[in-house]
Amino acid sequence: MIDLSSIGSFVEHNGQNLNTRIYILPLGGMALNKINIIDGKAPGQAGEILIERSSDTIKHFDIGEKFSVFGNELEVVGIAQNPMMISKNGDVDFIDMRPLDLIIYVDTNFASELLSNFPLIDAIPVTDIYILSYHANNHEPFTKGYKKSVQSAVEELKSDLKSFFNDEMGYERTYHFLTLNENKSTAILEFYCDRVDIICAIFPLFFIAVAALVVLTTMSRMIEEERPLLGCFKTLGYTDGQIVFKYVFLVFICCLIASIAGSLAGVWILPTVIYNAFAQLFYNPEMVKSFSYLGGILASLAMFITVEAVTLSVCLKELKGQPAEILRPKAPKAGKKIALEKVRFFWNRLPFRYKSTFRNMFRYVNHYVMTAVSVAGSTALVFAGFALLDMTKNPAQNVGNLASAFYMISLVIILFALLLTAFVVYNLTNMNIGERKREIATLKVLGYLDNEVTGYIYREIFLMALTGIIIGIPLGCLLVHFVFNFIDFGSLSYVRWYSYLITPALVMIFIGIVDLILKPKIDAISMTSSLSSIE
C-alpha cells in the first residue's frame, strides 16, 4: 500500500485546494482491512476513484463529482468505508496535523495515470504493509490478551527484520509498527470507554447504597410492626430459627426477583443509551447485547448480603424476651425537650404547629436520619448528573465531541436519581403514616381539618428532606470532584450556577408529587377504627 499524505496543494475541487490523503491499494484483492464500498461501485478504469465517507472534518462529496489530482481529472464512482477509520472525528495529516478534507482511494491497476504528473514518481515507495498475527486472532480485540499477543508479535518482527537487514543487506533500517494502540480511531474509542467505564462503576455504587438503605428501613419497620405476630409464633412453639427463616426467605425471594428484573432491564436500557451516545462519535457496527454475569452476580450479592444481615439482626433483636412481652406493641416514644428549645428568641416566636413538628422530628430520630441520608444520597446523584451535563456544554472540555457520549448518560443518571428520590420518600412517608395512624386519628378527634393534619405530617417530611438536600449538595460536589479526578476530565468550576438551584428544586418537586399521591391515604384514616384498643 502507498500512502500519500498532506498533498492538498495537488488536489483541487471547484478551484479550492483540499488537504488530502491518497491511498493506492489493490482494492479488488485486499485480504486485511478491506475497503468496503457503501455506495456506488468499485473503480473499473483509469480516472475513477473512491473517497472516504464524510465525517466531522472530512467534507461531503457526491458520486460523480470530479477532482483535479496532479493535473489529472479523476471522478468519484463510490463512497468507501475504511475499517481503520471508525471515528467521526475524521483524521489529520502527518506533517502539520491539520484536519483532512478528503481521503482518496486509487486502485493500483489504475495508479499510473494518477502518478504520471507527480514530481517524485520515481521515489515513491510502498509505505505500509498489513501483517496478520494468527496468535492475536485467538483473543478478542481490545482485551489484555490481544494486546499482549500483538506486542509479542511486534517484538518478534523487530528482531527478524533487524537480523535480515544487518546480515543480508549490510545496513539497518527503522520501522514503525502501528497497532490498534496507534490507530487514532481506536485511541479515541479507548479514551472514551475508559472514562465511561469509571462513571459506570462509581454511580451504581451510590445507587446501590441508597437503594439498600431503603430496603433496610422497610424490613426494619415491617418486622417492628409485626411484633405481635412474632410473639404469636413463639407462643405456638415455633423456634427463633423458624421465625427468622420466614423473613430471611421473604427477603431472599424479593431480592432474587428484583435482581433478575434489574439485571435484564440494565442489559436492555443502559447499553442502548450508551451505544446511541457513542453512535454520535463513531460509525458503530450493529449492537450485540450480552449479559455480564459477573457484574450482575456481584451487584446482587452486595444487596443480598446487606439486606439479609440487617433482616437477621432486626429479627433476633425483636425476638428477645418472653412471648407475652413480644405480643404487646412497643409503647410510643415519649415527647421530650429538644436542643432547639434552648434558643429562646427563636423558639418562643414559633407557632405551636412548628414546635410540634420539630419535636416529632427528633422524637423519631431513626426516621429523621433515614430520610435525610436517603434524600442526601439521591440529591448528590442528581447534582452529579447535572455536573456531567454542564461539562458536556463547556467548549473547553468538549474534546472530540465527548459531550455526545456523556449527554445521554447524564440524563439517565438524573432521571433515575429523581425516581429513586421519589421512591425513597414514598416508602418512608408511607411507613410513617402507617406507624402514626392513632396519632393522626387523635388529631382528627381534636378537630384538626384534613389539610391541617396533612400539613402536620408533611411539614416534618419537608424539613427532613431539606436537611438531606443541604447535605446532598456538598456530597454531590465531593462525588463530582471524585469522578472528574478519576476520569482526568472536567472540573467543578465548569458546573453552572443554576445547577445548584435546579437540583434541590427538582428534588422538592418530586417529593411534592409523592406527597400528593399519599394525601388520600391520610384523609382516609378513620378516627374510630384507629383509636380502638389494640390490647
Side-chain angles (χ1 to χ4, degrees):
M1 179 182 76
I2 300 175
D3 179 356
L4 303 177
S5 300
S6 291
I7 55 173
S9 59
F10 296 97
V11 181
E12 293 183 355
H13 177 72
N14 293 334
Q16 180 184 7
N17 288 332
L18 300 175
N19 190 29
T20 306
R21 177 182 299 160
I22 297 179
Y23 288 104
I24 301 176
L25 302 161
L27 294 175
M30 296 182 65
L32 296 177
N33 299 326
K34 182 178 180 180
I35 304 298
N36 298 313
I37 300 174
I38 58 178
D39 192 14
K41 64 175 185 177
Q45 60 184 6
E48 295 182 344
I49 59 172
L50 300 177
I51 62 171
E52 181 66 24
R53 58 190 168 185
S54 60
S55 63
D56 292 343
T57 61
I58 297 176
K59 299 181 183 299
H60 173 78
F61 296 102
D62 296 319
I63 294 174
E65 295 199 52
K66 297 180 180 179
F67 299 91
S68 174
V69 181
F70 305 135
N72 297 311
E73 186 176 80
L74 302 180
E75 180 182 355
V76 177
V77 296
I79 308 298
Q81 171 188 352
N82 189 330
M84 300 295 289
M85 298 180 187
I86 61 173
S87 171
K88 292 183 179 179
N89 187 243
D91 210 338
V92 296
D93 61 46
F94 297 146
I95 296 179
D96 54 10
M97 304 303 289
R98 289 188 300 133
L100 290 173
D101 299 316
L102 178 67
I103 297 177
I104 292 176
Y105 301 100
V106 178
D107 196 308
T108 51
N109 295 322
F110 313 120
S112 57
E113 180 178 334
L114 170 67
L115 299 176
S116 60
N117 295 329
F118 190 65
L120 301 176
I121 180 65
D122 296 328
I124 295 179
V126 173
T127 58
D128 299 67
I129 299 176
Y130 292 142
I131 299 175
L132 174 64
S133 171
Y134 288 101
H135 294 294
N137 282 349
N138 296 325
H139 304 277
E140 289 291 329
F142 306 109
T143 62
K144 291 182 179 179
Y146 176 87
K147 293 179 180 179
K148 185 177 180 180
S149 176
V150 169
Q151 190 57 40
S152 175
V154 167
E155 295 301 325
E156 186 176 341
L157 276 171
K158 283 182 178 179
S159 177
D160 291 344
L161 288 172
K162 183 177 181 180
S163 175
F164 172 78
F165 282 105
N166 284 343
D167 297 343
E168 302 293 331
M169 308 297 292
Y171 59 89
E172 185 176 351
R173 289 189 174 185
T174 301
Y175 292 87
H176 297 280
F177 292 85
L178 305 180
T179 66
L180 280 179
N181 294 332
E182 289 75 35
N183 180 271
K184 178 188 174 183
S185 293
T186 304
I188 293 175
L189 178 62
E190 288 199 342
F191 176 83
Y192 294 165
C193 286
D194 288 344
R195 279 140 187 82
V196 172
D197 283 347
I198 292 171
I199 291 174
C200 292
I202 293 175
F203 280 98
L205 294 178
F206 265 72
F207 276 104
I208 289 175
V210 177
L213 182 63
V214 175
V215 174
L216 300 182
T217 306
T218 304
M219 290 307 301
S220 299
R221 294 290 181 84
M222 186 184 79
I223 294 172
E224 288 177 4
E225 289 177 357
E226 293 190 355
R227 273 175 59 88
L229 184 60
L230 298 180
C232 182
F233 284 148
K234 292 199 72 169
T235 302
L236 293 173
Y238 286 90
T239 64
D240 288 354
Q242 290 173 316
I243 298 172
V244 168
F245 178 78
K246 169 184 179 289
Y247 294 97
V248 170
F249 185 71
L250 172 64
V251 168
F252 174 81
I253 295 298
C254 292
C255 285
L256 181 63
I257 295 173
S259 297
I260 293 173
S263 298
L264 293 177
V267 169
W268 288 101
I269 297 175
L270 291 179
T272 302
V273 170
I274 295 174
Y275 176 87
N276 290 334
F278 270 70
Q280 305 295 318
L281 307 170
F282 301 94
Y283 296 103
N284 289 343
E286 182 179 353
M287 186 170 76
V288 177
K289 294 182 179 179
S290 60
F291 182 75
S292 174
Y293 292 97
L294 179 61
I297 290 173
L298 290 177
S300 300
L301 277 178
M303 190 67 73
F304 270 96
I305 293 172
T306 305
V307 176
E308 292 286 11
V310 171
T311 301
L312 182 63
S313 174
V314 174
C315 280
L316 293 177
K317 179 181 177 182
E318 294 296 332
L319 286 171
K320 290 180 179 179
Q322 298 301 318
E325 180 185 350
I326 301 175
L327 280 168
R328 297 172 58 87
K330 286 184 177 180
K333 289 187 177 180
K336 59 182 180 180
K337 288 188 175 183
I338 59 177
L340 195 59
E341 294 185 41
K342 296 179 181 179
V343 187
R344 292 295 179 183
F345 72 91
F346 174 75
W347 185 258
N348 292 338
R349 288 172 172 77
L350 280 178
F352 173 76
R353 60 181 180 272
Y354 287 103
K355 290 180 179 179
S356 62
T357 296
F358 282 114
R359 282 173 176 158
N360 282 330
M361 285 172 56
F362 292 97
R363 177 185 174 194
Y364 302 98
V365 176
N366 290 339
H367 182 256
Y368 181 15
V369 172
M370 289 292 186
T371 303
V373 172
S374 300
V375 173
S378 301
T379 302
L381 287 168
V382 174
F383 179 80
F386 277 111
L388 285 176
L389 203 59
D390 289 339
M391 187 187 70
T392 68
K393 298 175 183 177
N394 193 291
Q397 291 296 306
N398 193 359
V399 179
N401 286 333
L402 182 61
S404 302
F406 282 159
Y407 184 79
M408 288 301 297
I409 297 174
S410 303
L411 293 181
V412 169
I413 291 173
I414 293 170
L415 176 60
F416 277 87
L418 288 172
L419 291 175
L420 182 60
T421 301
F423 177 75
V424 165
V425 175
Y426 179 90
N427 194 41
L428 294 173
T429 305
N430 189 42
M431 289 187 296
N432 190 25
I433 294 171
E435 286 181 348
R436 299 171 65 181
K437 279 185 177 181
R438 290 173 59 81
E439 183 180 343
I440 293 171
T442 302
L443 292 175
K444 290 186 176 184
V445 170
L446 293 174
Y448 279 69
L449 300 177
D450 286 345
N451 288 338
E452 292 176 324
V453 174
T454 302
Y456 179 81
I457 299 296
Y458 286 171
R459 272 191 297 273
E460 297 175 24
I461 297 170
F462 173 80
L463 291 174
M464 289 187 286
L466 184 62
T467 304
I469 291 172
I470 293 173
I471 298 172
I473 296 297
L475 182 62
C477 291
L478 290 175
L479 174 60
V480 170
H481 179 73
F482 179 74
V483 171
F484 284 172
N485 277 349
F486 253 91
I487 65 178
D488 193 24
F489 195 80
S491 167
L492 263 176
S493 61
Y494 293 111
V495 179
R496 310 293 177 91
W497 62 269
Y498 50 76
S499 293
Y500 291 89
L501 302 179
I502 294 176
T503 297
L506 282 176
V507 171
M508 293 308 299
I509 288 172
F510 271 71
I511 291 173
I513 293 172
V514 170
D515 290 345
L516 290 175
I517 294 173
L518 286 173
K519 186 179 185 305
K521 183 171 183 178
I522 298 176
D523 295 342
I525 292 177
S526 168
M527 290 182 283
T528 55
S529 62
S530 296
L531 289 174
S532 58
S533 175
I534 56 174
E535 294 297 327

